[in-house]
Amino acid sequence: MAARVKVTITEMKPKIKIRLAIESVSLVLMLVLILSGCKTNVKNYTSSYEYRVDSLLKLMTLEEKVGQLTLYTSDYDVTGPTIREGYKDDIKAGKVGAIFNAFGADYTRKLQEMAVKETRLHIPLLFGYDVIHGHKTIFPVPLGEAASWDMNAIYKSARIAGDEASAQGLHWTFAPMCDIARDPRWGRMVEGAGEDTYLGSRIAVQRVKGFQGDGVGSLNSVMACVKHFAAYGAAQAGRDYSTVDMSDRVLREVYFPPYKAAIDAGAATVMTSFNELDGVPASGNKYLMTDVLRNEWGFGGFVVTDYTSIMEMIPHGIAEDTASAAALAIEAGVDMDMQAGFYQDALPGLVKKGIIKEDLIDASVRRILRKKFELGLFEDPYRYSNVEREKATIMKPEFLDAARDIAKRSIVLLKNDKQLLPLSKTQKKIAVIGPLANARQEMIGSWSAAGDWSKAVTLLEGIKSKVTSADHVLYAKGCNINDDSTKYLAEAIRVAKQADVVVLAVGEAALMTGEAASRASLDLPGIQQKLVEEIQKAGKPVVVVLMNGRPLTIEWIDKNVPSVLETWFLGTQTGYAIADVLFGDYNPSGKLPVTFPRSVGQIPIFYNMKNTGRPMDPNSKYTSKYLDESNEPLYPFGYGLSYTIFSYGDVVLSKNSISDTDELSVTCKVTNTGIYDGEEVVQLYIRDLVGSVTRPVKELKGFEKIMLKKGESRDVVFKLTTKDLSFYKKDMTFGAEPGKFQIMVGGNSKDLKIAEFVLR
Ligand code: NOJ
């Protein structure tokens, strides 16, 4: 038996503040070797960490290994229905490898000390958190940011979030959400980039790069987590957690690409989804987690479950008990169990009984340890928990400026009759009315976990900051967001009548979107529709400012109110950003990342539908349409106005016919013919007219956001290759098929200039 030895590594390696109380000489030597390897520059040790991961693994008991596969929430914040009392005892006992919902340099340091000082092997914890659209400085909700179509701004928002989160001791964000969402009843549409695969993929890349900065291990970044794999956004009837069932073709063509793009961009981790797919819940789905993710896509990071989704395999009806659920998950390729504790409870027994091979567990432990090494946690487990850096970083003025900048870029001008907007700053009386006009608590939107709503700027404050005298601004609430009380209505009508112009802020409460926030009606909640109608009747020009996390059915507003701005939930700087647009300090440039239906009955409605064998013909009954509703959306995908006017020239192609190795240049002249400088998102769509399987009527394949001064023209040039024309053919191979294609260019998915070419 080896002697019991106590070694303090600090004496040998001053930078390593880990106290070891170790039970055998060989263990000591191994640990010294493993850890001393990490003493070198963080950037340089990656080549040797594989050896150290293996060495560490050899020292671990089965229980310690399973501990590394376990993630528990702290009681600091809770983002789901369960909490495990005594998680701190679990940390000290080495039963947990990662903690979420704990942040702050000081607090994470304390928890880290428990793991590092009190467990046998001193393995540091990972700290994860939902940093979805900013950490302390809150940016627009992701759907709103997507409306900016501005890749630099989206990158910057994630970069700042990574900087702030890592300064609060976090190593890992549970973002980006890459779920394509075509059903606005589903409240989680707010967390993604909307309905389109191409736009969603481009945005996913920026978010991963932003969060991860110079890479895992760089001090001011966090690991990204691509979620929710897979197809969570296709929940039946738009009900959260509901069943998903779709063909492999749609899965691969529409839903997979944003996850894949995020993984190709280097995302360190992936989260499973709550839903089943083809009858198998994602957390037990080997096809998804192993065949596709690891074997096809070469993903080398680790996979974590979404919350208690291993446990949920029991009510799903695919596992009978804890042991069978845990076995399904580990065999599927799921590395880390969030919150269920099923791995901890069942895996050791399953291995001892010979049901699960320990190799499988080792593979998962390796994937997790690798990330801990990459993060530099073995070199210095507290490197992200630095109070000075935290103080210097959180909500810096430059972060607030960036938040205001992306917020104004995310606003979509839906309607502007007779150029009611922009408003004059010297306006005599502006009435600011509505339940969202001064609702500070709502401004940062849902999933703004660590965000401090008390620091948000309301619309009323933003407007007051612009006008020559704050006395010119009147305010009335009008009604609550979501109840039937009419007690504030009369006062609002009275205020509207005194004004020269009314800015009317209506929409949803922040928590009406996000997780577990599906809605069967997309009308304005409560009596807000009545408020809008009454204010409109007051006879003053009205600007409706919408705040919401999904498309709403606002046909009445579109018909009756002269100006409408879609502002989503814009985050900390909401009021300033909206005021920038209202008063023309910024010319709106956002475009919808999702189709706005006229009525809920049209859902799902999205721009890249199929033509069908009986496309809609108003004069023929037996065609694909409704008896009581138009087929047309209220606002199409890609739509958004500007204070200026952009006109599009013809689409000019470099060739009328290309071979499969050619590149096609598509040129379109865009001119700013209006009276303001402005930015336009020039969009390119294709249609493959005949395929071995039917193709959508339009597919976005390129876009560019350009700035044009008034009177200025620019040739916007897109380059297309056969990759852009490719799809999953009848035999499920990916490629382009010869034949005729249409190319469409314009400022939204409906009003487009068309040209044709042939792929030989
Ligand atoms: C459940 C949500 O679905 C997921 O998106 C989130 O990251 C986890 N809870 C952790 O809060």
Side-chain angles (χ1 to χ4, degrees), residues 79 100 130 174 188 227-228 271 274 306-307 338 515:
T79 52
F100 69 119
D130 289 282
F174 302 139
R188 303 203 73 170
K227 72 186 190 186
H228 305 83
M271 185 185 289
F274 286 124
D306 193 358
Y307 223 78
M338 184 195 291
E515 189 176 350

Side-chain angles (χ1 to χ4, degrees), residues 71 78-81 100-101 129-130 132 173-175 177 188 191 225 227-228 232 240-241 271-274 305-308 338 447 515:
L71 166 65
V78 179
T79 52
F100 69 119
N101 293 333
Y129 197 52
D130 289 282
I132 309 295
T173 174
F174 302 139
M177 182 182 108
R188 303 203 73 170
E191 289 172 62
C225 184
K227 72 186 190 186
H228 305 83
Y232 183 37
D240 209 1
Y241 318 120
M271 185 185 289
T272 66
S273 53
F274 286 124
T305 63
D306 193 358
Y307 223 78
T308 42
M338 184 195 291
W447 280 118
E515 189 176 350

Side-chain angles (χ1 to χ4, degrees), residues 611-612 614-617 620-626 631:
N611 201 38
T612 81
R614 293 186 180 194
M616 208 280 288
D617 175 350
S620 169
K621 175 170 165 59
Y622 294 99
T623 59
S624 183
K625 62 186 183 203
Y626 302 101
N631 278 18

Side-chain angles (χ1 to χ4, degrees), residues 142-152 154 176-182 192-207 253-254 257-259 261-262 412 568 590-595 607-608 636-639 681-685 699-705 749:
L143 187 66
E145 273 192 2
S148 73
W149 296 56
D150 187 323
M151 298 303 112
N152 295 333
I154 291 173
M177 182 182 108
C178 301
D179 303 320
I180 292 298
R182 293 172 157 185
E195 74 183 38
D196 184 57
T197 305
Y198 178 83
L199 178 63
S201 302
R202 294 269 306 261
I203 289 175
V205 169
Q206 296 310 317
R207 289 191 169 139
E253 197 165 301
V254 178
Y259 307 115
V412 185
W568 322 100
K591 301 276 184 174
L592 296 177
V594 59
T595 304
Y607 83 92
N608 58 351
F637 173 82
Y639 171 83
V681 180
V682 183
Q683 302 159 41
L684 177 138
Y685 298 83
E699 293 175 83
L700 183 72
K701 290 293 175 185
F703 62 85
E704 202 181 324
K705 190 161 186 169
S749 63

Side-chain angles (χ1 to χ4, degrees), residues 445-655:
S446 64
W447 280 118
S448 42
D452 178 354
W453 60 261
S454 73
K455 301 221 162 74
V457 181
T458 68
L459 175 59
L460 182 61
E461 288 165 338
I463 290 177
K464 282 187 175 165
S465 75
K466 291 277 177 188
V467 291
T468 41
S469 163
D471 299 342
H472 294 178
V473 182
L474 311 171
Y475 166 71
K477 185 175 181 186
C479 63
N480 290 322
I481 297 174
N482 195 16
D483 68 25
D484 293 342
S485 168
T486 52
K487 71 177 174 197
Y488 306 108
L489 199 55
E491 164 70 358
I493 296 167
R494 197 182 60 75
V495 166
K497 284 185 176 156
Q498 290 170 38
D500 300 300
V501 62
V502 180
V503 177
L504 181 55
V506 291
E508 299 180 302
L511 293 183
M512 293 180 83
T513 46
E515 189 176 350
S518 296
R519 293 184 63 200
S521 157
L522 298 181
D523 293 343
L524 288 171
I527 62 150
Q528 292 185 76
Q529 180 59 35
K530 185 174 170 58
L531 173 70
V532 179
E533 291 177 21
E534 292 298 325
I535 297 298
Q536 176 68 12
K537 266 194 238 158
K540 301 298 166 79
V542 176
V543 180
V544 161
V545 172
L546 293 168
M547 296 185 187
N548 45 286
R550 55 154 71 82
L552 296 176
T553 42
I554 49 158
E555 204 171 12
W556 190 94
I557 291 179
D558 178 67
K559 264 199 201 119
N560 295 284
V561 175
S563 290
V564 186
L565 281 179
E566 173 56 75
T567 72
W568 322 100
F569 291 103
L570 292 175
T572 310
Q573 299 287 70
T574 295
Y576 293 143
I578 301 175
D580 284 340
V581 167
L582 284 174
F583 294 97
D585 290 335
Y586 182 73
N587 185 355
S589 64
K591 301 276 184 174
L592 296 177
V594 59
T595 304
F596 270 46
R598 291 173 187 278
S599 59
V600 165
Q602 291 181 309
I603 296 169
I605 180 168
F606 45 90
Y607 83 92
N608 58 351
M609 291 196 139
K610 300 289 184 73
N611 201 38
T612 81
R614 293 186 180 194
M616 208 280 288
D617 175 350
N619 303 315
S620 169
K621 175 170 165 59
Y622 294 99
T623 59
S624 183
K625 62 186 183 203
Y626 302 101
L627 292 177
D628 53 359
E629 180 58 280
S630 140
N631 278 18
E632 289 298 307
L634 184 59
Y635 305 117
F637 173 82
Y639 171 83
L641 303 172
S642 164
Y643 294 152
T644 195
I645 296 161
F646 296 103
S647 63
Y648 282 73
D650 289 337
V651 177
V652 180
L653 305 182
S654 56
K655 295 172 188 151

